[in-house]
């Protein structure tokens, strides 16, 4: 039994989709969330910058009494995690859990991966999929318009559908039967993605898969909390008002007074 909190971070708001899955699966667990809203987006930045940001995010979370860190951000998980030195608590990114699930569900071994430019150019999803199953064929595409669409509330309707068509047509053509939604924001576009791809393609939500992975890890290591209900704290590096106004769409519930602003640069190496 371990009642310490789970640390979660993301480049901004999107990682709240991962927190939502954690709260659904593990309501007894407490979380400390950091959204780097002052430096978002990570997806279009250089590897060097993303690695530095992620080091600072982890150092900030380690100032709390936490038992594990979940990296909700697709870009941070694929670009930075392999370069992060040993950490005193386990650090779990979204890539491995999503890869594991995709390999479990694919029937024709043709898997699509979408994400930010940083994630797709880095190629970690593709590498891990192939390492685990050499006969799999992977088709990847960066979808740079998806994040701004979600952040502007345009998750349904014609614009979302046209963007989905633009980015997914090349993957549909390749007859993928499984698609990894390799970015925090993409689960919110599932309606448009489904409308274009149809029901025959299985969509993998890395936030959901990672929350399950965290649950299994805590269970196997006897680290689950025995509280009735966890509590949740939120930290941001920019405006609290903007975060609280937009968080509901990702978390699907309102965040009360628990948001605080911090100077993330203070946690530089
Ligand atoms: N959180 C990022 C991801 O999952 C998307 C937003 C960004 O580019 O920072 O890749």
């Amino acid at each position: 039994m371990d009642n310490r909190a789970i640390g979660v971070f993301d480049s901004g708001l999107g990682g709240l989709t991962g927190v939502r899955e954690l709260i659904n699966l593990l309501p007894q667990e407490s979380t400390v969330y950091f959204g780097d809203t002052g430096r978002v987006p990570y997806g279009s930045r250089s590897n060097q910058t993303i690695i530095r940001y992620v080091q600072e995010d982890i150092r900030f979370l380690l100032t709390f009494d936490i038992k594990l860190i979940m990296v909700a951000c697709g870009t941070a998980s694929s670009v930075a995690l392999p370069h992060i030195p040993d950490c005193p608590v386990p650090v779990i990114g979204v890539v491995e859990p999503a890869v594991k699930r995709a390999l479990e569900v694919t029937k024709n071994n043709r898997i699509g991966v979408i994400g930010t430019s940083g994630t797709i150019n880095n190629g970690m999803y593709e590498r891990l999929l192939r390492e685990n199953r050499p006969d799999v064929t992977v088709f990847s595409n960066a979808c740079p318009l998806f994040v701004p669409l979600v952040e502007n509330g345009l998750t349904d309707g014609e614009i979302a559908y046209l963007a989905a068509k633009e980015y997914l047509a090349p993957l549909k053509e390749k007859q993928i039967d499984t698609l990894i939604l390799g970015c925090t924001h993409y689960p919110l576009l599932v309606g448009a993605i489904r409308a274009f791809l149809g029901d025959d393609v299985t969509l993998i939500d890395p936030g959901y898969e990672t929350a399950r992975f965290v649950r299994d890890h805590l269970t196997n290591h006897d680290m689950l909390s025995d509280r009735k209900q966890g509590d949740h704290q939120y930290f941001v590096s920019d405006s609290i008002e903007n975060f609280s106004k937009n968080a509901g769409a990702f978390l699907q519930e309102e965040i009360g007074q628990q948001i605080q602003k911090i100077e993330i640069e203070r946690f530089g190496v």
Side-chain angles (χ1 to χ4, degrees):
M1 186 269 290
D2 187 337
N3 285 342
R4 290 177 297 167
I6 299 172
V8 183
F9 74 90
D10 176 48
S11 55
L13 276 164
L16 292 174
T17 52
V19 173
R20 184 184 72 208
E21 303 297 355
L22 274 181
I23 293 175
N24 285 342
L25 279 178
L26 298 167
Q28 74 277 24
E29 297 296 334
S30 298
T31 59
V32 179
Y33 180 83
F34 173 60
D36 198 0
T37 50
R39 306 191 294 194
V40 67
Y42 284 11
S44 50
R45 296 189 192 275
S46 69
N47 288 1
Q48 212 182 5
T49 301
I50 297 168
I51 293 167
R52 177 163 57 85
Y53 286 177
V54 168
Q55 279 171 333
E56 293 172 6
D57 301 343
I58 289 178
R59 282 165 73 103
F60 168 65
L61 285 177
L62 287 174
T63 62
F64 294 84
D65 191 22
I66 53 171
K67 58 185 169 189
L68 180 145
I69 293 177
M70 169 169 150
V71 184
C73 179
T75 308
S77 299
S78 38
V79 174
L81 279 199
H83 304 278
I84 298 300
D86 279 349
C87 194
V89 297
V91 180
I92 297 181
V94 286
V95 179
E96 282 89 350
V99 161
K100 186 169 168 279
R101 184 76 186 136
L103 292 173
E104 275 162 15
V105 301
T106 184
K107 293 196 172 68
N108 70 359
N109 284 347
R110 301 172 79 78
I111 299 177
V113 181
I114 53 175
T116 63
S117 305
T119 297
I120 297 305
N121 293 341
N122 171 275
M124 183 169 172
Y125 272 107
E126 201 162 333
R127 270 196 307 282
L128 263 192
L129 284 162
R130 289 235 183 84
E131 257 171 48
N132 282 284
R133 182 93 58 80
D135 59 341
V136 100
T137 314
V138 185
F139 304 95
S140 308
N141 209 4
C143 308
L145 287 179
F146 275 4
V147 168
L149 280 176
V150 172
E151 300 220 322
N152 287 285
L154 297 167
T155 50
D156 296 307
E158 207 171 332
I159 300 185
Y161 180 80
L162 286 176
K165 185 174 170 197
E166 170 73 19
Y167 294 132
L168 300 175
L171 306 186
K172 190 176 182 179
E173 214 169 86
K174 300 290 183 192
Q175 296 173 331
I176 56 163
D177 74 348
T178 305
L179 177 68
I180 298 178
L181 308 176
C183 168
T184 45
H185 289 56
Y186 298 0
L188 277 83
L189 286 166
V190 115
I193 292 172
R194 271 251 163 276
F196 178 69
L197 283 182
D199 290 332
D200 293 339
V201 176
T202 306
L203 303 181
I204 308 290
D205 175 350
Y208 174 69
E209 299 307 331
T210 308
R212 285 179 32 168
F213 199 91
V214 167
R215 180 194 58 191
D216 294 347
H217 182 91
L218 295 181
T219 308
N220 296 338
H221 292 81
D222 195 18
M223 285 168 73
L224 286 167
S225 152
D226 69 352
R227 291 215 175 112
K228 271 220 161 62
Q229 202 177 1
D231 43 53
H232 307 285
Q233 300 178 68
Y234 300 91
F235 295 86
V236 291
S237 51
D238 197 48
S239 154
I240 291 179
E241 289 70 31
N242 286 349
F243 185 80
S244 110
K245 200 166 69 200
N246 298 315
F250 292 89
L251 200 58
Q252 288 177 3
E253 65 180 64
E254 292 312 312
I255 297 181
Q257 300 303 310
Q258 318 95 309
I259 312 170
Q260 290 174 58
K261 184 175 174 212
I262 57 139
E263 299 295 330
I264 189 64
E265 288 81 8
R266 280 186 29 229
F267 298 88
V269 185

